[in-house]
Amino acid sequence: MFLEPFWKQNAGSSSIMVAGWHRMGYEFEDGSLISKQLENVIHKLHETVGNANTSNKYILFGSGSTQLLNAAVYALSHTTYSSSSSTKVVASAPYYPVYKSQTELLDSKKYKFSGHTSSWRNKTRNDKFIEFVTCPNNPDGRLNKAVLHGKFTRHIYDLAYYWPHYTPIPAPMDEDLMLFTLSKLTGHAGSRFGWAIVKDKAVYDKMVEYVDLNTYGVPRETQLRALKLLNVVVRGDKKEMFRFAHTVMRSRWEKLTEILSTSKRFSMEQLPSQHCAFSKQVRPPSPGNH
Amino acid sequence: MFLEPFWKQNAGSSSIMVAGWHRMGYEFEDGSLISKQLENVIHKLHETVGNANTSNKYILFGSGSTQLLNAAVYALSHTTYSSSSSTKVVASAPYYPVYKSQTELLDSKKYKFSGHTSSWRNKTRNDKFIEFVTCPNNPDGRLNKAVLHGKFTRHIYDLAYYWPHYTPIPAPMDEDLMLFTLSKLTGHAGSRFGWAIVKDKAVYDKMVEYVDLNTYGVPRETQLRALKLLNVVVRGDKKEMFRFAHTVMRSRWEKLTEILSTSKRFSMEQLPSQHCAFSKQVRPPSPGNH
């Protein structure tokens, strides 16, 4: 909710009107389930912020990154070929609990949650692994990197917080499968809108298959709203929302630091400052949602 | 799209305006992921139309009934206890292909698509079964009833077309698990909004768990839109949209019947007329979407 005041200040440019007869059908004019305009503004957004390289990659929408997490596990477990038929899904502790609960939900024969990356270091051999890499990590704010590098290991980069209000952006990420969500960018958690940036066509196709069979795409009014909001984010000098958001997060973080500095029982972990290419400043992290 | 002209005629009362700062959070004021107002109008809608008994039942929202089909399979396979651990999922041919493809998508250890009900008649014994019952059925328009009745057999009633524009409504359905979708009622397929009416608390809870972990609920702007549209459906004499829709469907059906009546190579299956409690007429079916 910390961005609600920003959207109140920009009420005129960020509201949508949806007529009763607007976009009733399943598909857009081109037969797809996604708005090309929205896809284009997402490319522009990442180019502007410099947090992800989207060129020559596919973009896919989901009902929050929530839906895309499992779509990615499904797709990678079906497109990685080794002698083992089941894939081990792992993450580095402390990790987002949904990685585990969602992987276990449907008790698939194809993949199984298999705990922490630390148990499997140098033991990947011929097994198939999917590693969730969360950067910056929730709850500890670290810019995590992949831990496992076996021949049959694939990575899902959960970049929900890789935006300049939460962390310095040292350089654009250029990974094979990256996930983002509107909720952490603009604050619209209730809209359930996320997107995946995918390098490999076969992986992208399998993710599309999953989303199609799971919900048959993302509501058209949600896509319209995301388009309207992102157009505000990328307009003008393209830094207006990020300036507002960073100011709020930094001031909260400073308050917390000050309070904890007087405590003898609690202390703050020191996270390093880094150069942020977006703000052109050396900045400490200012994590949100912890 | 056959209802688009109706919504154009009712543009003023069916459009929504969503401000940029509207309902940004995950939850409503009461901490739930669903709009109580929308839940109430759905109760009122079924009472008005007389197609489903919702009293003392739970209502759950999904991203189209698409999401709820698998949520129901998940919930029923986890809440039915017999000596067998895996559940057979079946349907009567011809059936909606998504029943099969969605059940098979994640290759669950808990359930398996096991073909047609006709292969299992009188063979249900101690096995767990989930039978999809589609009423009226797509594509043949029949008011199907459950075929299997074993001790451990559970039913999912897919009632997407059980509305007075497509079929006579002889009486309200009063089944343990019934699914509906906005797409076939008002034509808003692109909004991906469906609902389940569930009698048993344990089944409802498991369906909520599925939807929460799968997409964390249905977009708040979609819920607002559904509320606005359904308020138009239930206003005044509560028959305005159904009259419009039935007139269109009937005239299409009459045209088709006339064309095929001159053919020596194709003929129409004769489906019986029945008394429709909603229109208070004896009516033949006027199926859509075939």
Side-chain angles (χ1 to χ4, degrees), chain A residues 40-208:
Chain A
N40 291 341
V41 78
I42 288 172
H43 279 289
K44 188 173 164 187
L45 170 72
H46 288 296
E47 204 189 322
T48 299
V49 174
N51 62 342
N53 180 359
T54 66
S55 58
N56 298 315
K57 295 196 182 84
Y58 300 92
I59 289 185
L60 167 79
F61 301 163
S63 292
S65 63
T66 311
Q67 184 181 34
L68 296 170
L69 296 170
N70 200 232
V73 169
Y74 169 78
L76 292 173
S77 65
H78 278 79
T79 51
T80 309
Y81 304 97
S82 87
S83 53
S84 75
S85 65
S86 178
T87 303
K88 294 181 176 66
V89 180
V90 295
S92 295
Y95 58 79
Y96 180 41
V98 170
Y99 298 155
K100 179 172 189 283
S101 49
Q102 206 183 58
T103 300
E104 290 176 341
L105 182 71
L106 296 178
D107 211 357
S108 171
K109 290 173 198 152
K110 297 281 190 222
Y111 50 79
K112 188 176 163 43
F113 195 81
S114 304
H116 299 170
T117 49
S118 56
S119 322
W120 299 102
R121 211 186 278 259
N122 305 322
K123 291 180 193 160
T124 49
R125 271 168 290 185
N126 290 320
D127 280 353
K128 294 201 281 183
F129 281 84
I130 295 172
E131 178 186 350
F132 281 105
V133 185
T134 322
C135 176
N137 195 37
N138 180 0
D140 63 21
R142 291 174 186 276
L143 295 176
N144 280 352
K145 291 193 164 67
V147 171
L148 304 185
H149 299 283
K151 188 173 170 192
F152 304 109
T153 298
R154 301 292 177 267
H155 303 107
I156 298 169
Y157 278 78
D158 181 346
L159 303 179
Y161 294 98
Y162 198 59
W163 296 107
H165 28 324
Y166 304 117
T167 175
I169 305 291
M173 299 285 269
D174 193 15
E175 303 295 337
D176 289 357
L177 203 168
M178 303 183 278
L179 303 181
F180 288 93
T181 167
L182 196 67
S183 64
K184 304 305 181 290
L185 170 61
T186 68
H188 293 81
S191 293
R192 316 306 308 125
F193 183 78
W195 62 96
I197 303 167
V198 186
K199 190 168 183 193
D200 184 36
K201 176 77 161 62
V203 175
Y204 166 79
D205 286 343
K206 275 285 170 191
M207 288 184 76
V208 169

Side-chain angles (χ1 to χ4, degrees), chain A residues 1 4 7-8 11 14-22 24-26 63 66-67 70 74 101-102 105-111 183-184 186-192 209-210 213-217 219-222 225, chain B residues 1 4 7-8 11 14-22 24-26 63 66-67 70 74 101-102 105-111 183-184 186-192 209-210 213-217 219-222 225:
Chain A
M1 304 307 295
E4 193 184 77
W7 295 109
K8 282 197 170 165
S14 64
S15 70
I16 57 165
M17 163 74 102
V18 186
W21 48 270
H22 173 83
M24 292 177 61
Y26 288 105
S63 292
T66 311
Q67 184 181 34
N70 200 232
Y74 169 78
S101 49
Q102 206 183 58
L105 182 71
L106 296 178
D107 211 357
S108 171
K109 290 173 198 152
K110 297 281 190 222
Y111 50 79
S183 64
K184 304 305 181 290
T186 68
H188 293 81
S191 293
R192 316 306 308 125
E209 178 185 285
Y210 177 98
L213 275 172
N214 186 207
T215 60
Y216 209 59
R220 309 313 165 252
E221 52 274 9
T222 298
R225 191 175 193 199
Chain B
M1 304 306 296
E4 194 184 75
W7 295 110
K8 284 197 170 163
S14 64
S15 70
I16 57 165
M17 163 75 102
V18 187
W21 48 271
H22 173 83
M24 292 176 61
Y26 288 106
S63 292
T66 311
Q67 184 181 35
N70 200 234
Y74 169 77
S101 49
Q102 207 184 54
L105 182 71
L106 296 179
D107 211 358
S108 172
K109 289 173 197 152
K110 297 283 190 219
Y111 52 79
S183 66
K184 305 305 180 289
T186 68
H188 293 81
S191 293
R192 314 308 306 128
E209 178 186 284
Y210 177 97
L213 275 172
N214 187 206
T215 60
Y216 209 61
R220 309 313 165 250
E221 53 273 11
T222 298
R225 191 175 193 199

